[in-house]
């Protein structure tokens, strides 16, 4: 049962909702890389947050913090994108190899104008990949680089020959080639990656991609830099003009409470109107994915090209008193609800959405983890990711939500309950439920076709306040609690608290 008392939570009368799952009509597999993450050279996202160097007093392995690595391993992170983001298009890979004390110091012009000493480069990144047991998504520099530079980096990482670049990698300490699972040709070419038009980028993409060569069996999936928000033109142009050898087209969408970049809204201390607008804004991604997939279905009916949401998450005004270029924000129960809503949407389009990367892993935007010197805490978003682990590589099952009581505000409405279901690799049926309402709980009647449901068990993540979050003084203020419910008279009703995320295993 719930470890916390539902009576202690602000909840009005329970609304009646029906959620039906059909196990007899399995759908596509939910690619585990939908739960990928992003680590950019930005603020303390890598330096201090994850990388402290091998000589640090903070316990580490090859320079990477043991506490952070351990926590991320528990999430079973399937994929990490690096080195950017905007930073990728000013990153020159040769600056990050060889003896660290001899690497050039540059200026991170995108993020805070701070010194970038290149202590974390190719070898260090792959140390992290191997420590996490994850896959690598490397983003190449198209904006300020050359086709030769990009091609040589890929050769440096993947070649098993006696070429000079492969020998240089060996000289720098890595005998065997690295495995690059995904390789991106530029980032946000419409903006910080070069302010290009899609037709111009498509020509450049084809040019650069021509020279990306690897040994047989070592070629990564190649990713084209696509559009953002409501723009489908990038998907259209790229799927027509840059489709040869393209495995995926990227797409970026950030959730802003106000929808206005200059005044996004606060991460904490916000009114209910901004809770509602945040939910409303994040749900817009559903229609945007649908529109882009319609374009892909027209241009790529064989479904060879994936739609990769390789940057997404909440973006608020930075925490007062912090460097505006470091993008540090608090992470509350609202962020966990946003994350779960996005998971449910990604599952719905699993046939095309084969990879996503939340921004970001540590200390930046919608982070999993926050650190301060030797201290570390887990955010509500971290807990949402951990609860959804059973959906990695699970088989999607159809879900219908009926009799839902919408959450409305100022004449606008969003669904009150969001649901998704899948059959996990362990054979169990899993159901996730999200209550978007901040004060109203719901009764959910669960029906599973093809299965005589006897009970459910799993976890629930909720809190009393809309901006409840973990601090170093109270690092476990927001955390999952166990939950279970049994069928009565052949019916199973689940009481879903307000502003809650639930992931449950169904048992006969």
């Amino acid at each position: 049962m719930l470890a916390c008392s539902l009576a202690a939570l602000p909840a009005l009368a329970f609304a009646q909702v029906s959620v039906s799952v059909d196990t007899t009509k399995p759908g596509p597999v939910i690619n585990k890389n939908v739960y990928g993450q992003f680590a950019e050279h930005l603020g303390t996202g890598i330096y201090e947050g994850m990388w402290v160097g091998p000589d640090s007093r903070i316990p580490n392995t090859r320079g990477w913090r043991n506490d952070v690595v351990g926590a991320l391993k528990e999430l079973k992170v399937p994929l990490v994108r690096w080195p950017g983001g905007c930073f990728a298009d000013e990153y020159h890979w040769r600056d990050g190899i060889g003896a660290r004390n001899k690497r050039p110091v540059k200026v991170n012009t995108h993020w805070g104008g701070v010194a970038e000493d290149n202590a974390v480069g190719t070898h260090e990144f792959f140390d992290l990949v191997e420590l996490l047991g994850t896959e690598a998504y490397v983003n190449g520099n198209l904006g300020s680089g050359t086709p030769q530079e990009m091609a040589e980096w890929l050769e440096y990482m993947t070649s098993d020959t006696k070429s000079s670049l492969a020998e240089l990698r060996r000289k720098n300490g890595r005998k065997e080639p690295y495995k690059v699972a995904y390789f991106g040709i530029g980032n946000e070419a419409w903006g910080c990656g070069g302010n290009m038009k899609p037709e111009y980028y498509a020509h450049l993409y084809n040019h650069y991609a021509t020279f990306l060569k690897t040994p047989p069996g070592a070629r990564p999936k190649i990713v084209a830099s696509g559009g953002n928000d409501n723009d489908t033109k990038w998907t259209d142009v790229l799927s027509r003009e840059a489709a040869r050898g393209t495995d995926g087209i990227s797409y970026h969408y950030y959730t802003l409470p106000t929808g206005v970049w200059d005044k996004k809204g606060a991460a904490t201390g916000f009114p209910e109107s901004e809770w509602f607008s945040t939910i409303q804004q994040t749900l817009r991604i559903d229609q945007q994915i649908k529109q882009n997939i319609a374009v892909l279905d027209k241009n790529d009916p064989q479904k060879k090209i994936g739609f990769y949401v390789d940057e997404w998450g909440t973006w608020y005004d930075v925490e007062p008193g912090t460097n505006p270029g470091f993008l540090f924000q608090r992470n509350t129960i609202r962020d966990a609800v946003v994350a779960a809503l996005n998971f449910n949407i990604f599952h719905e389009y699993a046939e095309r959405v084969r990879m996503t990367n939340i921004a970001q892993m540590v200390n930046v935007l919608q982070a999993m983890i926050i650190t301060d010197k030797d201290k570390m805490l887990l955010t509500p978003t971290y807990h949402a990711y951990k609860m959804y682990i059973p959906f990695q590589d699970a088989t999607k099952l159809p879900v219908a939500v009926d009799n839902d009581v919408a959450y409305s505000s100022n004449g606008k409405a969003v669904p009150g309950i969001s649901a998704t279901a899948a059959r996990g690799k362990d054979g169990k049926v899993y159901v996730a439920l999200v209550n978007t309402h901040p004060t109203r709980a719901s009764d959910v009647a669960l029906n599973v076709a093809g299965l005589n449901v006897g009970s459910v068990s799993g976890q629930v993540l909720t809190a009393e306040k809309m901006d409840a979050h973990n601090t170093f003084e109270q690092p476990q203020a927001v955390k999952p609690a166990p939950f279970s419910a049994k069928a009565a008279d052949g019916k199973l009703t689940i009481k879903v608290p307000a502003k809650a995320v639930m992931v449950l295993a169904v048992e006969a």
Side-chain angles (χ1 to χ4, degrees), residues 154 182-183 185 205 209 212 219-224 245-248 308:
L154 193 58
Y182 295 83
F183 191 89
I185 300 179
Y205 173 89
L212 296 181
R219 185 174 177 82
K221 294 183 184 298
I222 303 299
V223 184
T246 303
D247 295 283
Y308 298 165

Side-chain angles (χ1 to χ4, degrees), residues 77-94:
V77 177
L79 183 77
V80 179
R81 181 178 177 225
W82 173 87
C86 292
F87 181 82
D89 279 306
E90 65 177 22
Y91 179 69
H92 300 281
W93 68 272
R94 288 180 183 272

Side-chain angles (χ1 to χ4, degrees), residues 71 88 135-136 146 151 162 164 176 236 258 270 398 431 468:
E135 290 189 323
T146 65
K162 292 292 184 179
S164 296
E176 300 299 325
D236 184 33
T258 64
F270 51 84
V431 176

Side-chain angles (χ1 to χ4, degrees), residues 55-207:
D55 298 327
S56 174
R57 293 181 179 179
I58 297 175
N60 68 86
T61 301
R62 288 177 276 176
W64 296 101
R65 293 178 62 135
N66 290 345
D67 54 355
V68 172
V69 168
L72 292 171
K73 285 184 70 174
E74 288 190 18
L75 287 187
K76 300 187 185 299
V77 177
L79 183 77
V80 179
R81 181 178 177 225
W82 173 87
C86 292
F87 181 82
D89 279 306
E90 65 177 22
Y91 179 69
H92 300 281
W93 68 272
R94 288 180 183 272
D95 294 341
I97 61 172
R100 278 190 288 272
N101 61 359
K102 295 182 179 179
R103 296 178 188 177
V105 177
K106 299 293 184 73
V107 177
N108 189 334
T109 62
H110 282 294
W111 304 119
V114 296
E116 164 63 59
D117 66 5
N118 286 294
V120 172
T122 302
H123 292 257
E124 289 79 13
F125 169 65
F126 278 97
D127 280 346
L128 175 65
V129 166
E130 292 175 358
L131 287 170
L132 293 178
T134 188
E135 290 189 323
Y137 175 10
V138 177
N139 216 128
N141 179 352
L142 177 137
S144 65
T146 65
Q148 179 180 351
E149 180 183 17
M150 191 179 290
E152 288 182 347
W153 193 15
L154 193 58
E155 180 182 341
Y156 180 88
M157 291 185 287
T158 65
S159 179
D160 58 358
T161 69
K162 292 292 184 179
S163 75
S164 296
L165 286 167
E167 288 298 294
L168 179 60
R169 184 193 68 235
R170 296 182 183 103
K171 179 183 176 182
N172 288 331
R174 175 70 179 197
K175 179 180 178 181
E176 300 299 325
Y178 292 118
K179 180 186 176 184
V180 181
Y182 295 83
F183 191 89
I185 300 179
N187 167 77
E188 290 190 1
W190 45 265
C192 64
N195 290 300
M196 303 174 193
K197 300 295 185 183
E199 294 83 1
Y200 179 67
Y201 170 77
H203 292 312
L204 285 181
Y205 173 89
N206 289 332
H207 182 184

Side-chain angles (χ1 to χ4, degrees), residues 35-50:
Y35 292 89
Q37 299 195 18
F38 184 24
E40 182 170 4
H41 287 239
L42 197 172
T44 57
I46 290 181
Y47 300 115
E48 298 181 33
M50 300 173 71

Side-chain angles (χ1 to χ4, degrees), residues 294-372:
V295 171
L296 284 175
D297 286 346
K298 178 187 68 175
N299 296 341
D300 173 40
Q302 295 81 22
K303 302 186 186 298
K304 295 180 180 179
I305 300 172
F307 190 66
Y308 298 165
V309 188
D310 66 3
E311 284 188 34
W312 69 275
T314 53
W315 195 325
Y316 309 128
D317 296 330
V318 299
E319 193 71 13
T322 64
N323 187 323
F326 283 11
L327 305 187
F328 174 73
Q329 60 188 40
R330 298 293 177 189
N331 193 294
T332 72
I333 187 65
R334 178 175 63 167
D335 296 282
V337 169
V338 166
L341 289 172
N342 279 270
F343 297 156
N344 293 0
I345 292 169
F346 297 153
H347 294 178
E348 191 64 26
Y349 301 102
E351 194 170 38
R352 285 283 192 184
V353 178
R354 304 165 194 165
M355 182 253 278
T356 85
N357 305 96
I358 193 170
Q360 294 186 10
M361 292 179 83
V362 181
N363 289 339
V364 177
L365 296 177
Q366 193 173 348
M368 308 295 110
I369 293 169
I370 293 175
T371 66
D372 181 12

